[in-house]
């Protein structure tokens, strides 16, 4: 794209007689972005940015069409450059719509119908997801805590004229003060569409984001942007562009967006490139410390409207490192709750039916807080200024019977604010896992509660697995839990499991066929299992060494499909999968040849070191390698051509994604086993016939080859399922190995879903997250002390 677009932009600028600095002043696009565009190094080609540049250069319709053609030729969805001048939205429009772009222009030709339909489905799915999550967090029970904010100080916010995208010389006043129910209205007043929300830990930033998304979706009219919450803490700006990262997150949480548009790109890419996504980026402070400045600079290199949250200190450090705050962004800072807020809220959370008859609830505590007659009251007042601590106090004392909040005023037990916070964090898990509170498993059936101590231990282990050097991650993905084990352990487990799969398949096929003695069958199975285990273990080790991971499949299998619904073109899918697994099949064939050599030496009493035996073994290694490599490559390539994205109705929750992967892997095994059997048997005959002349007389009799193919096909299919898929790794490591060592319960997914139901975890698309980062840190520290 840049090879055509960059020179064209430079040529148009030179024709206008403008420098890069002059174009930057006219358009509001940074000089750095213009320089990247013109030098073919831009990381985020956006239609909104090009519209700004076209206006600054005062391009005519012919030049705009040429610029749009260059953009479309690179695979961007079909949208035309507009010639309309910037317009100011009227009162009705500004009250009902979120900003479309920094200059509020709409494209002449709308995005394709398929892309708009995907945006509409995405908006409805997002509204349902976050409405359910808001209910889980009891935000409206009995009423929302009054979150308020003020404008951030000057070093952390851009000029008001820049935020409102005003021309040179214009001035404006921008009042952004407000409360929870007005967040969407406040955001609509920001012409640039860029907002930074600052606050200390537990101040309610995530709750504010959820309300912003829900209120924005309630008045959404396409082609307005669909607000989506992303955890930006996983983004490495030095390795991945913002565009590619957003697309990857969309595909993870909304697998149906892997479908391709008529123009070629996936729906996820088309939505991002058509400016139909408003990124709501939560957790800037969770980015690794050394990467925050790069992340801020990468965000400043774009004109993309977005919302960003962060703790104040971490954001301020990044601003000092980058030399500027987020360009064109307004900044607000959440303020503490007041005693009046607590007096209105806490007593109404202690329902009469759930209180002890002798308990007075929160009234005595609130009276002492209002009077401020003791150091303990001062300490507790300081603690209960954030929604997080208020929620924890509510869970421990309002919702649990026989607990009196007056104990929080015991200055001997709680001499400091830190000691009170530790008490609330430590008591949360035991409170929500109290035996009297009913629970239910992942299938929805009611069941008895987990033991609080064991639950705290398991949650601590999960929190500990999210710790990385200089970074604490948030996303708890079921397919990544096994990565916490040492590399040598995972390789050893994969080797043993694949050896058992191949050995068990050989024993089963051999005993059923009864063409050899039982002793010979057992020896053949053991030797083939050993060789296959070493071969599969080698392939597994190579994948891990090169940074490979086993991601969940976001596809299903279908024998007939249209091209437009595929994840990638069938021919490309076949070639890619064939090339990837060819080497693995060859290694397996080499291992099989070595096993055959040992078996022949045992029963034919032929020394392995004789020249004849060595020559025969080398020939068999080549022949078996070609037979198994070509067979496996062919079958897996054909299997890839049958894959299609999941239906649009698929909900990418952790449980649904795990269930879908189990179904997909089961279907793959049912197809792979017979196809590999036939491919090895009949494809082997073809390979042997082709090599008869160069390598001398070779034998590949059909009855024997069918047995070899059946044992190899079934064993290979099972080995692939358990060792090289996300579901298989989950079963082997998280349902067997980690429970055996006591680090996780036997039914891990039921425990995770139960923790989500109890409020210890929350869901964000296809992954779990701890209820709050502070709770995750506390559980991690507690686990490390065990």
């Amino acid at each position: 794209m840049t090879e055509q677009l960059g020179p064209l932009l430079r040529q148009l600028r030179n024709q206008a007689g403008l420098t890069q600095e002059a174009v930057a002043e006219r358009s509001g696009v940074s000089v750095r972005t213009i320089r990247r565009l013109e030098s073919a190094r831009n990381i985020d080609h956006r239609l909104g940015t090009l519209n700004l540049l076209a206006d600054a250069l005062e391009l005519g319709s012919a030049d705009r069409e040429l610029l749009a053609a260059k953009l479309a030729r690179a695979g961007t969805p079909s949208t035309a450059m507009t010639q309309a001048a910037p317009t100011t939205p009227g009162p009705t429009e500004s009250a009902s719509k979120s900003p479309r772009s920094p200059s509020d222009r709409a494209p002449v030709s709308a995005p394709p119908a398929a892309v708009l339909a995907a945006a509409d489905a995405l908006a409805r799915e997002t509204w349902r997801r976050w409405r359910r999550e808001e209910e889980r967090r009891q935000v409206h029970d009995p009423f929302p805590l009054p979150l308020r904010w003020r404008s951030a100080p000057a070093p952390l916010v851009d000029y008001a004229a820049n935020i409102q995208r005003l021309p040179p010389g214009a001035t404006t006043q921008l009042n952004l003060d407000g409360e929870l129910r007005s967040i969407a209205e406040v955001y609509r007043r920001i012409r640039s569409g860029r907002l930074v929300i600052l606050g200390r830990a537990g101040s309610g930033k995530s709750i504010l984001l959820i309300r912003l998304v829900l209120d924005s979706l309630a008045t959404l009219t396409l082609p307005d942007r669909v607000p989506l919450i992303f955890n930006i803490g996983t983004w490495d700006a030095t390795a991945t562009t913002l565009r590619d990262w957003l697309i990857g997150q969309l595909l993870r949480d909304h697998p149906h967006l892997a479908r391709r548009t008529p123009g070629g790109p996936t729906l996820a890419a088309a939505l991002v490139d058509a400016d139909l996504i408003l990124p709501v980026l939560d957790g800037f402070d969770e980015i690794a410390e050394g990467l925050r400045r790069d992340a801020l600079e990468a965000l400043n290199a774009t004109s993309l409207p977005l919302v960003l949250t962060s703790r104040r200190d971490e954001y301020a450090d990044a601003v000092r490192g980058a030399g500027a705050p987020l360009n064109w962004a307004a900044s607000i800072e959440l303020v503490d709750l007041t005693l009046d807020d607590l007096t209105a809220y806490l007593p109404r959370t202690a329902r009469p039916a759930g209180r002890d008859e002798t308990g007075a609830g929160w009234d005595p505590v609130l009276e002492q807080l209002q009077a401020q007659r003791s150091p303990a009251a001062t300490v507790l007042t300081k603690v209960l200024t954030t929604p997080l601590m208020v929620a924890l106090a509510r869970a421990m004392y309002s919702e649990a019977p026989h607990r009196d909040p007056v104990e929080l005023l015991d200055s001997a037990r709680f001499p400091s604010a830190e000691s009170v916070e530790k008490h609330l964090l430590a008591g949360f898990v035991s409170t929500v896992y109290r035996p009297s509170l009913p629970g239910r498993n992942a299938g929805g059936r009611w069941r008895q509660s987990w033991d609080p101590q064991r639950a705290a231990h398991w949650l601590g282990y999960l929190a500990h697995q999210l710790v990385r050097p200089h970074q604490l991650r948030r996303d708890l993905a079921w397919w990544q839990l096994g990565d916490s084990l040492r590399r040598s352990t995972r390789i050893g487990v994969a080797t043993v499991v694949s050896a058992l799969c191949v050995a068990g398949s050989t024993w089963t096929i051999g005993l059923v066929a009864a063409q050899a003695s039982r002793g010979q069958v057992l020896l053949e199975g053991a030797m083939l299992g050993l060789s296959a285990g070493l071969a599969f273990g080698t392939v597994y080790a190579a994948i891990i060494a090169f940074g490979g991971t086993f991601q969940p499949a976001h596809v299903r299998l279908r024998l007939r499909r249209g091209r437009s619904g595929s994840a990638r073109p069938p021919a490309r899918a076949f070639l890619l999968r064939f090339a990837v697994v060819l080497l693995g099949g060859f290694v397996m064939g080499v291992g099989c040849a070595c096993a055959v050599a040992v078996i022949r030496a045992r029963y034919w009493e032929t020394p392995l070191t004789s020249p004849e035996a060595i020559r025969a073994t080398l020939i068999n290694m080549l022949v078996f390698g070609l037979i198994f490599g070509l067979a496996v490559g062919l079958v897996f390539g054909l299997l890839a051509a049958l894959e299609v994205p999941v239906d649009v109705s698929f909900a990418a929750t952790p449980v649904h994604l795990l269930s879908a992967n189990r179904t997909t892997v089961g279907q793959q095994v049912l197809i792979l086993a017979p196809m590999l059997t036939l491919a090895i048997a009949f494809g082997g005959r073809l390979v042997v016939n082709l090599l008869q002349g160069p390598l001398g007389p070779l034998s590949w009799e059909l009855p024997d080859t069918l047995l070899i193919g059946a044992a190899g096909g079934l064993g290979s299919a099972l080995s692939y399922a358990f060792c090289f898929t996300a579901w298989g790794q989950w079963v082997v490591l998280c349902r067997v190995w980690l429970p055996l060592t006591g680090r996780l319960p036997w039914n891990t997914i039921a425990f995770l879903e139960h923790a989500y139901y109890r409020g210890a975890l929350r869901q964000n698309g296809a992954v779990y997250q701890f209820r709050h980062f502070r709770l995750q840190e506390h559980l991690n520290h507690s686990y490390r002390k065990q």
Side-chain angles (χ1 to χ4, degrees):
M1 177 176 178
T2 51
E3 292 177 359
Q4 300 177 358
L5 184 59
L8 176 60
L9 282 173
R10 185 166 54 252
Q11 178 184 348
L12 293 173
R13 178 177 60 79
N14 291 333
Q15 289 176 357
L18 297 174
T19 63
Q20 291 179 342
E21 289 74 13
V23 175
E25 183 177 353
R26 287 189 177 191
S27 66
V29 179
S30 67
V31 176
R32 178 179 179 181
T33 299
I34 297 173
R35 187 177 297 117
R36 286 188 172 190
L37 275 167
E38 293 187 359
S39 62
R41 291 187 292 112
N42 185 50
I43 62 173
D44 193 11
H45 305 287
R46 305 198 59 80
L47 183 61
T49 303
L50 295 180
N51 273 325
L52 291 173
L53 296 177
D55 290 340
L57 296 173
E58 299 180 354
L59 299 182
S61 59
D63 289 334
R64 289 174 181 268
E65 291 177 1
L66 180 60
L67 202 60
K70 301 293 186 184
L71 187 66
R73 197 169 298 152
T76 303
S78 175
T79 50
M81 304 294 292
T82 178
Q83 209 170 352
T87 59
T88 302
T92 302
E93 181 183 359
S94 64
S96 62
K97 295 182 181 295
S98 59
R100 274 296 306 158
S101 70
S103 53
D104 292 320
R105 54 172 69 82
V108 174
S109 59
V115 179
L116 288 176
D120 181 64
L122 189 60
R124 287 185 278 108
E125 179 186 351
T126 301
W127 188 88
R128 288 193 299 267
R129 174 178 293 178
W130 289 112
R131 180 65 180 271
R132 183 173 62 251
E133 191 64 31
E134 196 178 51
E135 292 174 354
R136 290 277 189 185
R137 302 188 192 190
Q138 299 179 305
V139 172
H140 298 282
D141 181 18
F143 59 86
L145 277 168
L147 296 180
R148 306 181 189 88
W149 58 82
R150 59 172 178 259
S151 296
L156 305 180
V157 62
D158 204 347
Y159 297 111
N162 292 344
I163 296 170
Q164 296 300 83
R165 311 301 294 124
L166 298 179
T171 59
T172 185
Q173 296 292 327
L174 187 60
N175 181 15
L176 298 179
D177 293 348
E179 57 181 2
L180 180 64
R181 61 185 178 182
S182 65
I183 180 60
E185 179 183 352
V186 168
Y187 178 69
R188 294 187 192 106
R189 297 203 297 264
I190 302 173
R191 284 288 306 275
S192 66
R194 292 161 79 94
L195 172 66
V196 177
I197 302 174
L198 303 175
R200 58 195 181 105
S203 59
K205 298 184 293 294
S206 297
I207 295 298
L208 193 63
L209 287 189
I210 294 176
R211 181 41 43 189
L212 171 61
V213 168
L214 291 176
D215 288 348
S216 299
L217 289 173
T219 59
L220 182 74
T221 302
L222 293 176
D224 286 347
R225 291 183 175 87
V226 179
L228 296 178
I229 298 178
F230 301 94
N231 177 23
I232 196 176
T234 63
W235 180 37
D236 181 357
T238 63
T240 308
T241 66
L242 179 63
R243 173 187 179 274
D244 292 341
W245 180 80
L246 289 174
I247 293 172
Q249 296 293 300
L250 282 173
L251 292 175
R252 186 198 70 179
D253 293 337
H254 309 278
H256 62 274
L257 296 180
R259 294 175 178 273
R260 293 192 173 271
T261 64
T266 63
L267 285 173
L271 287 168
V272 172
D273 291 335
D275 287 331
L276 290 174
I277 301 298
L278 173 64
V280 181
L281 307 175
D282 189 18
F284 178 83
D285 52 282
E286 296 164 17
I287 297 177
E289 183 177 359
L291 298 175
R292 291 185 198 132
R293 186 189 69 178
D294 296 309
L296 184 57
E297 290 178 347
L299 294 176
N300 281 338
T302 74
S303 60
L304 176 68
L306 55 88
V307 179
L308 183 72
T309 73
S310 176
R311 300 184 192 183
R312 173 174 173 165
D313 292 342
E314 285 79 354
Y315 180 72
D317 289 341
V319 169
R320 284 191 292 268
L326 184 64
N327 290 346
W328 308 330
S331 296
I332 60 176
E333 186 174 6
L334 291 169
V335 299
D336 292 341
L337 298 173
T338 66
L339 279 176
D340 291 340
D341 297 332
L342 300 179
T343 303
Y345 181 79
L346 285 175
R348 290 178 58 177
T349 63
R351 306 293 163 78
R355 301 300 308 165
D356 186 87
E357 294 181 359
T358 61
W362 286 99
D363 292 338
V365 177
L366 293 171
E367 289 176 3
Q368 292 201 37
L369 296 186
Q370 292 285 0
Q372 292 290 305
R373 296 190 184 127
S374 65
T378 303
V379 168
L380 186 57
T381 301
K382 180 180 179 181
V383 171
L384 296 180
T385 53
T386 63
L388 172 64
M389 291 301 154
V390 173
L392 295 179
R394 167 185 174 163
M396 288 188 65
Y397 296 102
S398 294
E399 300 174 3
H402 314 299
R403 295 293 298 266
D404 192 346
V406 173
E407 69 179 10
L408 293 174
L409 295 173
D410 186 347
S411 57
R413 290 182 59 188
F414 309 115
S416 64
E418 182 181 2
S419 61
V420 178
E421 292 178 352
K422 283 186 177 181
H423 168 71
L424 294 176
L425 289 167
F428 175 76
V429 173
S430 60
T431 300
V432 299
Y433 276 92
R434 63 187 184 274
S436 60
L437 186 65
R440 60 182 177 183
N441 61 14
R445 293 171 296 182
W446 295 96
R447 54 158 295 146
Q448 192 174 6
S449 175
W450 302 84
D451 176 71
Q453 291 185 348
R454 298 296 295 168
H457 171 76
W458 292 327
L459 288 172
Y461 174 78
L462 294 173
H464 184 64
Q465 304 321 304
L466 297 177
V467 177
R468 293 292 183 271
H470 310 294
Q471 182 183 19
L472 289 175
R473 297 183 299 148
R474 291 287 299 274
D475 293 344
L476 192 62
W478 57 261
W479 61 90
Q480 293 177 341
L481 295 182
D483 295 345
S484 61
L485 296 170
R486 290 182 299 179
R487 181 182 300 181
S488 58
T489 301
R490 286 182 284 156
I491 295 173
V493 170
T495 301
V496 172
V497 170
S498 57
L500 291 176
C501 289
V502 174
S505 301
T506 304
W507 290 333
T508 302
I509 300 299
L511 293 176
V512 170
Q515 287 193 349
S517 65
R518 183 171 299 179
Q520 183 175 351
V521 170
L522 292 176
L523 177 61
E524 290 177 352
M527 295 309 303
L528 288 175
L530 177 61
S531 61
L534 293 174
F536 280 118
T538 301
V539 175
Y540 184 93
I543 294 175
I544 298 299
F546 285 99
T549 58
F550 302 101
Q551 299 293 324
H554 292 139
V555 297
R556 56 192 175 91
L557 300 182
R558 193 171 71 183
L559 296 179
R560 299 179 61 185
R561 66 176 182 181
R563 181 178 178 183
S564 61
S566 61
R568 61 169 63 94
R572 181 185 174 191
F574 172 83
L575 293 175
L576 181 62
R577 190 71 61 83
F578 179 86
V580 168
V581 302
L582 177 64
L583 181 59
F586 187 88
V587 173
M588 179 184 172
V590 170
C592 181
C594 296
V596 169
V598 174
I599 294 171
R600 285 182 175 178
R602 167 67 176 81
Y603 283 95
W604 295 357
E605 298 182 355
T606 303
L608 286 173
T609 57
S610 66
E612 296 80 5
I614 294 176
R615 180 179 181 277
T617 301
L618 292 176
I619 292 176
N620 283 340
M621 291 171 65
L622 175 61
V623 175
F624 275 84
L626 289 175
I627 291 174
F628 278 81
L630 293 174
V632 171
L634 176 64
V635 171
F636 273 86
L638 292 174
L639 186 68
L642 300 177
E643 295 174 353
V644 295
V646 296
D647 293 327
V648 68
S649 60
F650 178 80
T653 64
V655 172
H656 289 167
L657 186 59
L658 179 62
S659 177
N661 271 254
R662 179 174 60 246
T663 301
T664 299
V665 171
Q667 293 173 341
Q668 289 174 333
V669 170
L670 292 178
I671 294 175
L672 286 173
M675 289 183 65
L676 283 173
T677 299
L678 297 177
I680 292 173
F682 293 99
R685 184 59 179 268
L686 178 62
V687 171
V688 167
N689 289 339
L690 292 175
L691 298 178
Q692 283 282 1
L695 299 180
L698 301 173
S699 176
W700 194 258
E701 299 298 333
L702 188 59
D704 294 333
T705 58
L706 284 174
L707 293 178
I708 295 175
L714 180 59
S716 299
L718 293 176
S719 297
Y720 162 77
F722 287 113
C723 299
F724 298 95
T725 66
W727 175 82
Q729 290 287 280
W730 158 264
V731 170
V732 171
L733 300 177
C734 300
R735 291 299 307 273
V736 178
W737 185 263
L738 289 173
L740 275 176
T741 57
R743 284 172 278 187
L744 286 179
W746 287 103
N747 196 345
T748 305
I749 194 63
F751 172 74
L752 292 173
E753 192 68 5
H754 189 253
Y756 166 61
Y757 172 76
R758 288 294 177 89
L761 299 178
R762 66 187 186 188
Q763 286 185 7
N764 186 2
V767 300
Y768 294 101
Q769 294 176 344
F770 280 91
R771 178 190 180 105
H772 194 274
F773 203 50
R774 289 285 304 277
L775 179 62
Q776 176 183 326
E777 289 179 318
H778 171 78
L779 290 170
N780 170 48
H781 293 154
S782 300
Y783 179 82
R784 292 174 60 185
K785 293 179 180 179
Q786 294 178 3

